[in-house]
Structure formats: C-alpha cells, structure tokens
C-alpha cells in the first residue's frame, strides 16, 4: 500500500491550478441516469470516487469513456436498477442514484451505505422526501427498495440543509408530475452546479443557491453537456498548505466567492490575500495569530476544511477553538496530530488547539478519512523532519495528484510503495 513521505519545513511558492470538484462531479454523473443517450462532462477530476461512480454507472448498463478530464456517459435503461452493496460500500455518495433511478424507471434498489469514520451518516433525509413525493419505500436485507409509478410534486421542508439529500430530491423532482418546492435546502456551490446542469438537460429549476428551490417537473430530459466547477475544498487545502509553510502561492482556475469563509478566516488571522476573477493568492506571512472556527453549512466554514485548518492552527500564536457542527466524529486527525507533537484538547465536538510554531516533529501517521489525510500532509509540510502518511487510499478518493501539485510548489513530498 502506498504512503506519502514528506520532508517539510520549506515555504511553498508558485502557481497551481485547482482540479474539477469531486463533490460537484458525483451528483452530476448520477444525474445522467435521468436521460438516456450520450452525456458529456468536462473538467471531471481523476479520482477513486469517480472510478467508483463509473463502476456503478457501468453496473446500471451505462457505458463510460474517459479522455483526459472529459467523461462521456452513454445511458441505456438498466435491466434491473440495482446499486449493489459491493459498490455502494466503497462510496457513500452512491445513494445519489436513488432519486434519478426512481424518477426515471419507477423503481430502484440501492444498498444502504451504512456509517463511516466521521459519523453515523443516516439517509432519512433522502428517503422521507421521496416518500412525500409519493414513493413507496421499504428497507429489506440492507437495501432501500423504492417504487413509484410517477412521482408527484410536493412542498418539502428539510429538517437540516443536507447536501446529498437536496441533490437526490432535486434530481427526482425534475421528472415529477407538477411542482415541487424544497425548503431549507443546502446552498453549496455544488447544488448550484447541479441545478445548472439539470437546467441544461431541460429541467425547470429556480432558486438554487438560496434556501428554497422550486422545480416544475417535466416529462423528459435530454443528455447533459456540462463542465464541472472547480474544487473549492482542494483550492482551500492548497491555500492552507501555503499558509502553514509561510509560502506565497497563487491558486488559479478556482472561484474565489466559493472560498469566502476560508479567505475571511485567513485574513482575520493576519494573512494577506488577493483575489482575481478566477484566482486567489496568499502572500508569505510570518506574523499571524490563531482564530476560532465553527463549521456550518455553506456559506459557513466548510466541515471539509476543518481538519486542514486545524493543522494550520497548530502553528499559530495563541489558542484556537474549533467546533465541528456537521459531523459528530470528525476529529480523528486530533490523535494523529498529537503524535506529531500538537497540543490539542478535545471534548466531543469541540477541540482547543494550543498553537506552537515549529512545535511539530515528523512522525509516521495514519490517515483516517479523506480530509484527515490532507491535514496530516499539511502538518508534515510544517515540520523539518520526515513524516510518513499511511492509508492514503483515503486521499486518492478525493484529491487529484495532491503530492504532485505540492511538489510543483517546491515541497519535498513523494509517494512510495510501502
Ligand atoms: C456532502 C459532501 C461532504 C461534506 C458534507 C457536508 C458530497 C459527495 N459529500 O456529504 O464532503 O462533508 O456534504 O458539507 O458532496 N444527515 C442526516 N440525514 C440524512 C442526510 C444527512 O441526518 O439523510 C446529516 C449527516 O449525518 C450530517 C449532516 O446531515 O450530520 C450533513 O450531511 P450532508 O449535508 O447530507 O452530507 P453529505 O451529502 O453526505
């Protein structure tokens, strides 16, 4: 199994481009199930989660063909619209095929994804809204079994602004009879991208990016031609990598507005940030201080950058209170950072990081989830010794060539087969 080896302590500098967004690409690829024919997606990142999505689409009778960052998906009616456990267990986002399959083919059988390292992650906010749209749903032998002759539009109020739940119901409602009004929905940029793609397919959607989305169902959609938005979490991770090394880095091909919460926090710490239409530059800075963060749904501070921000706070002057409000168990990196010498006290969903510039030392550490892997790499970049990050298959799920991008900015980092 591969490991990432880092000899840190070097300030990063240069220009790096963000890849396409993983979290936008996944629902877009599942949206293809809403229309038979040839779809084309551009700016699709090369990631394990995209491979898993292709595998599931192939299982559902779709053909996929990749050319660089372009992915063509040819959709044909599946003989049996089943998403099996063997594929779903590799990637929770597979649940996003439920809404499209049900809306398009009147039935779907999708394995329950189960919990994951960062929390229990139920899917009640996917299931209940589909029931409100008229689906008959049962849970049997670890599978969600859903049926509906034709879904019918309804007013649905989400208990929580779930990203995946909003996406699943947006896709299903696009083929409903009548009008669906979704309230308290997620407002993430990935939701806006999905609405944009669905609209290109002929869906009638309004309100994406606000907390109310209205969808006028249509009888049929046409194949998508869509380019995936840049990955704001990857771009944010690269900015934090620059910050933690006192570097000067320009991240291009990104959307600065999507990084607003992170840019604000970095500015409040004392970092100098400049932005252009599609770039963000962080300037070398050695005098900066700690700040507190609470994770929250967009436009709040993203939970997907919490671990990487915590790595930065280990190098701050002062203490930082980090409150994780989205997932109940998303602090598994705390123990690994502690193995590198970080001083962090944690109780349930609050961690207090006592910053100490230069206080980390290289160590063998283990990635526990996707964003924790990035956190440990950032911590490694901040120490002069050798850090070896294992279990990096988590990293490969969601970052395209992160080590190559960091090496391009001057980091001493390499992938080795262990
Ligand atoms: C998506 C992102 C993930 C990000 C998360 C929050 C993708 C592929 N993944 O995950 O990277 O960390 O948003 O920004 O886009 N919940 C329920 N019931 C449900 C669904 C969710 O209680 O049916 C809870 C979850 O347990 C969690 C919270 O709602 O505590 C947020 O989850 P959600 O927004 O749905 O996250 P995902 O879509 O799974």
């Amino acid at each position: 199994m591969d490991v990432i080896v880092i000899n840190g302590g070097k300030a990063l500098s240069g220009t790096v481009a963000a890849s396409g967004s993983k979290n936008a690409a996944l629902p877009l690829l599942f949206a293809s199930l809403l229309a038979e024919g040839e779809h084309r997606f551009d700016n699709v990142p090369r990631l394990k989660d995209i491979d898993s999505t292709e595998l599931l689409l192939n299982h559902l009778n779709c053909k996929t063909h990749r050319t660089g960052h372009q992915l063509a998906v040819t959709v044909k009616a599946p003989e049996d619209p089943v998403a099996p456990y063997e594929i779903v267990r590799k990637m929770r986002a597979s649940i996003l095929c439920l809404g499209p399959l049900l809306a398009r083919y009147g039935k779907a059988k999708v394995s329950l994804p189960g919990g994951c390292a960062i929390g229990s992650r139920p899917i009640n906010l996917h299931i209940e809204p589909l029931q409100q749209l008229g689906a008959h749903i049962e849970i049997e032998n670890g599978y969600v079994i859903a049926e509906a002759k034709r879904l019918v539009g309804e007013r649905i109020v989400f208990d929580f602004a779930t990203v995946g739940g909003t996406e699943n119901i947006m896709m299903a409602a696009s083929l409903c009879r009548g009008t669906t009004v979704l309230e308290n929905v997620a407002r993430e940029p990935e939701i806006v991208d999905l609405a944009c793609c669905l609209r290109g397919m002929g869906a009638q959607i309004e309100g994406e990016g606000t907390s109310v989305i209205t969808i006028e169902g249509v009888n049929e959609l046409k194949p998508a031609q869509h380019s995936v938005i840049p990955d704001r979490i990857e771009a944010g991770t690269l900015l934090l990598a620059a910050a933690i090394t006192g570097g000067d880095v320009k991240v291009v091909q990104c959307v600065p507005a999507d990084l607003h919460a992170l840019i604000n926090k970095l500015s409040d710490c004392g970092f100098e940030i400049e932005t252009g239409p599609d770039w963000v530059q962080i300037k070398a800075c050695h005098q900066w201080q700690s700040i507190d963060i609470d994770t929250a749904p967009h436009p709040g501070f993203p939970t997907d950058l919490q671990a990487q921000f915590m790595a930065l706070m280990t190098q701050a002057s002062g203490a930082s209170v980090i409150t994780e409000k989205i997932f109940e168990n998303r602090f598994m990196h705390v123990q690994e950072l502690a193995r590198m010498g970080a001083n962090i006290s944690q109780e349930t969903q609050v961690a207090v990081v006592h910053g100490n510039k230069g206080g980390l030392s290289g160590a063998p550490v283990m990635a526990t989830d996707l964003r924790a892997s990035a956190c440990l790499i950032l911590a490694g970049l901040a120490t002069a010794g050798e850090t070896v990050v294992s279990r990096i298959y988590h990293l490969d799920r969601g970052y395209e060539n992160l080590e190559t991008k960091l090496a391009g900015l001057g980091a001493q980092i390499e992938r080795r087969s262990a």
Side-chain angles (χ1 to χ4, degrees), residues 53-97:
T53 306
E54 280 189 59
L55 200 66
L56 181 48
L57 290 172
N58 296 155
H59 182 87
L60 290 165
N61 208 19
C62 306
K63 284 203 170 60
T64 52
H65 180 74
R66 199 181 243 288
T67 320
H69 287 104
Q70 188 178 93
L71 189 64
V73 183
T74 308
V75 176
K76 278 208 283 184
E79 272 171 29
D80 214 5
V82 178
Y85 177 66
E86 299 73 57
I87 301 179
V88 176
R89 74 183 171 89
K90 287 193 191 145
M91 188 187 66
R92 293 185 43 83
S94 307
I95 190 68
L96 292 174
C97 71

Side-chain angles (χ1 to χ4, degrees), residues 127-321:
I127 302 287
E128 288 156 17
L130 288 174
Q131 288 171 322
Q132 282 176 268
L133 296 178
H136 176 79
I137 298 186
E138 281 181 14
I139 308 289
E140 256 176 41
N141 307 115
Y143 278 79
V144 181
I145 299 171
E147 274 182 20
K149 277 212 173 68
R150 171 106 193 246
L151 296 170
V152 182
E154 254 299 343
R155 172 176 173 251
I156 290 165
V157 183
F158 284 90
D159 287 345
F160 181 84
T162 154
V163 175
T166 302
E167 291 165 345
N168 230 338
I169 308 311
M170 280 168 75
M171 293 189 276
S174 298
L175 286 180
C176 269
R177 178 150 46 83
T179 310
T180 303
V181 180
L182 305 176
E183 297 184 20
N184 193 28
V185 292
R187 292 181 282 164
E188 269 67 2
E190 295 75 24
I191 301 281
V192 176
D193 201 32
L194 175 61
C196 194
C197 174
L198 289 170
R199 207 176 286 123
M201 295 170 73
Q204 294 188 16
I205 303 186
E206 276 176 16
E208 72 276 8
T210 76
S211 53
V212 181
I213 294 178
T214 306
I215 302 171
E216 196 69 51
V218 295
N219 290 332
E220 207 180 359
L221 292 169
K222 60 178 193 287
Q225 304 271 316
H226 188 81
S227 184
V228 179
I229 55 168
D231 196 313
R232 64 194 168 102
I233 303 302
E234 187 211 20
T237 302
L238 291 164
L239 291 172
L240 287 163
I244 203 169
T245 62
D248 189 332
V249 168
K250 187 173 183 179
V251 181
V252 296
Q253 291 174 34
C254 66
V255 181
D258 293 349
L259 288 157
H260 193 67
L262 174 67
I263 290 173
N264 273 351
K265 286 292 178 186
L266 286 172
S267 301
D268 290 350
C269 286
F271 289 97
E272 197 188 322
I273 312 257
E274 276 181 28
T275 59
D278 63 352
W279 55 265
V280 180
Q281 182 160 14
I282 182 163
K283 299 289 177 85
C285 171
H286 303 285
Q287 289 288 320
W288 55 276
Q289 59 195 18
S290 61
I291 199 154
D292 299 342
I293 58 161
D294 285 13
T295 63
H298 193 77
F301 192 93
T303 173
D304 285 352
L305 285 174
Q306 177 259 107
Q308 302 91 311
F309 199 84
M310 186 181 290
L312 177 65
M313 289 300 107
T314 66
Q315 300 302 297
S317 53
S320 161
V321 180

Side-chain angles (χ1 to χ4, degrees), residues 386-403:
E386 183 177 270
T387 299
V388 180
V389 185
S390 58
R391 297 209 179 161
I392 56 152
Y393 48 84
H394 291 294
L395 186 78
D396 296 335
R397 280 191 38 223
Y399 284 95
E400 181 174 304
N401 298 332
L402 184 62
E403 74 278 14

